[in-house]
Amino acid sequence: MMTDGIWKSEERAQFALRSLYHRYGYAPYKMSHFEEYDLYVRNKDFLVSDQIITFSGAGGQLLALKPDVTLSIVKNAPQTPGVVQKVYYSENVYRDYREIMQTGLECVGDLGEYEMAEVVLLAVKSLALLDGRYVLNLSHMGLIAAVLNGSGLTGQVKRQAMDCLRRKNAHELKNLCGGQEEIWKKLEALVSCRGSGREVLGQLSRVLTADAERQALAELESLWGILEGADQADHVRLDFSVGSDLRYYSGVVFRGYLEGIPASILSGGQYDKLPQKMGRKSRAIGFAIYLDLLQERGQDDSAYDLDTLILHDGSVDTGVLARAAEEAAKEGSVLVSRTEPQGRNWKKLVRYEKGELVP
């Protein structure tokens, strides 16, 4: 069930998200708490954190307490032409010696334009399920790479330029261009153009002229048209400060935010470079949602684990209680009890005494 406000618990959010992904044909994916440590060592550039907790297995094999789900999915994904694996997961991962609740989905295999658009649409729908006050910031690493590769900037300066884009530091970015006006004109557009898709795409089309730039721009234009056609563009913004690692993402990249949470609660994008590094022919796109961040919304919502508590002294008619519980359940969670439950918090109290509702 959706509500106008935030979900009252991470568990309810997980259930709603799993239901959404199931409706679009995604299958559940479950992995062990442990994975071979070597998998993470070989692909450490793709991990959010390099703090990996390790253990020795029964046979002396070094195992890792999973810091990531994506690597396992890609490692086991099909490579058959025309075949796409669509999976979703709800797992606890372990990073920097913290346990993090994570729900997400991955689409891996012989991907086409539809699969790419579907994942972005599901990212938007996921945020809408969690709260009506959200925004998805969208970028394209292929477009940024095309501009940087055509700029003549060296590897180190490219990395500095990426950092400037991420920090929206136009002044420093202009200095890196060294007076090359044509390059600065393109990078200035990337660092300054953000907002509604149609407006931003129109501005970029006037300055991005190289073939690789136009190709990536055409992908963004096509995706934006799909978002508009599905009535999902109102909460989406183009922002090229999103995504700062050319080693990982290769195409569209996005971050999702909820009002009242300073960090992105959703993170994802197209990451073809990971399966390529693992020697696979697959393409890949997906996202993760960090449900533990819901706790940062403050006490107004998270302080309650019940919407309604119905207390009675045993004298009221059972049918009356049942009807009251059904009405309350339409608005959220409800508990019918003869005593106040220990360790529980509720927003609304309904009380029956001597067979009557107490005002």
Side-chain angles (χ1 to χ4, degrees), residues 12 35-37 77 154 168 186 234 243 276 287 290 350:
R12 290 174 64 187
E35 184 71 80
E36 293 181 12
Y37 176 66
T154 64
K168 301 181 182 179
K186 294 181 178 183
D234 289 348
Q276 290 171 7
F287 59 82
Y290 304 99
V350 176

Side-chain angles (χ1 to χ4, degrees), residues 6-290:
I6 199 164
W7 290 87
K8 302 305 187 296
S9 70
E10 292 86 346
E11 289 79 12
R12 290 174 64 187
Q14 279 186 331
F15 177 80
L17 293 169
R18 290 197 300 265
S19 298
L20 171 65
Y21 307 150
H22 179 76
R23 290 201 303 273
Y24 281 82
Y26 286 72
Y29 183 88
K30 186 68 179 176
M31 65 179 293
S32 168
H33 287 296
F34 302 99
E35 184 71 80
E36 293 181 12
Y37 176 66
D38 188 51
L39 173 67
Y40 300 116
V41 171
R42 294 195 309 267
N43 300 284
K44 62 181 181 180
D45 288 345
F46 296 95
L47 295 177
V48 175
S49 169
D50 58 3
Q51 297 293 323
I52 303 174
I53 303 172
T54 59
F55 296 89
S56 293
Q61 184 182 33
L62 191 60
L63 301 175
L65 194 58
K66 60 180 179 189
D68 178 84
V69 180
T70 301
L71 286 171
S72 176
I73 293 174
V74 172
K75 182 186 73 170
N76 297 296
Q79 300 188 79
T80 307
V83 175
V84 175
Q85 182 183 43
K86 297 181 178 183
V87 297
Y88 68 86
Y89 61 87
S90 292
E91 298 278 349
N92 288 335
V93 296
Y94 303 88
R95 298 174 185 161
D96 300 321
Y97 301 98
R98 294 188 303 120
E99 184 178 34
I100 301 170
M101 184 185 298
Q102 184 173 305
T103 293
L105 62 81
E106 305 293 342
C107 190
V108 186
D110 189 3
L111 306 187
E113 183 182 24
Y114 172 79
E115 286 78 19
M116 299 295 181
E118 180 183 74
V119 170
V120 178
L121 284 167
L122 285 173
V124 178
K125 291 176 181 289
S126 297
L127 291 171
L129 271 179
L130 295 174
D131 193 290
R133 300 160 294 175
Y134 69 91
V135 63
L136 186 80
N137 287 342
L138 186 68
S139 179
H140 196 297
M141 294 305 295
L143 178 59
I144 295 173
V147 172
L148 291 176
N149 290 338
S151 68
L153 301 177
T154 64
Q156 177 61 30
V157 178
K158 278 185 185 179
R159 288 189 288 274
Q160 292 174 336
M162 281 297 310
D163 184 59
C164 289
L165 280 174
R166 180 181 58 80
R167 294 184 288 113
K168 301 181 182 179
N169 188 333
H171 176 74
E172 186 175 339
L173 187 60
K174 185 175 184 179
N175 289 338
L176 291 174
C177 294
Q180 301 179 72
E181 288 301 320
E182 188 65 25
I183 297 171
W184 165 237
K185 185 186 300 182
K186 294 181 178 183
L187 290 174
E188 181 186 26
L190 291 182
V191 77
S192 62
C193 290
R194 54 185 179 271
S196 172
R198 286 297 168 199
E199 179 182 349
V200 170
L201 291 169
Q203 292 173 335
L204 292 177
S205 66
R206 291 191 285 271
V207 296
L208 302 183
T209 55
D211 288 344
E213 297 166 356
R214 302 296 293 185
Q215 180 179 346
L217 189 61
E219 289 181 10
L220 264 184
E221 289 172 338
S222 176
L223 176 59
W224 192 263
I226 293 170
L227 288 168
E228 287 181 325
D231 293 324
Q232 297 295 331
D234 289 348
H235 292 265
V236 183
R237 302 289 181 269
L238 291 185
D239 185 340
F240 294 95
S241 68
V242 174
S244 59
D245 196 342
L246 289 169
R247 299 172 301 175
Y248 189 92
Y249 291 110
S250 53
V252 64
V253 61
F254 43 89
R255 300 285 185 273
Y257 298 86
L258 298 183
E259 185 176 294
I261 299 178
S264 60
I265 194 170
L266 184 150
S267 175
Q270 181 184 349
Y271 55 95
D272 295 349
K273 294 181 181 181
L274 175 57
Q276 290 171 7
K277 185 177 184 296
M278 298 173 73
R280 307 184 69 82
K281 299 177 182 179
S282 307
R283 304 178 71 197
I285 185 172
F287 59 82
I289 300 172
Y290 304 99

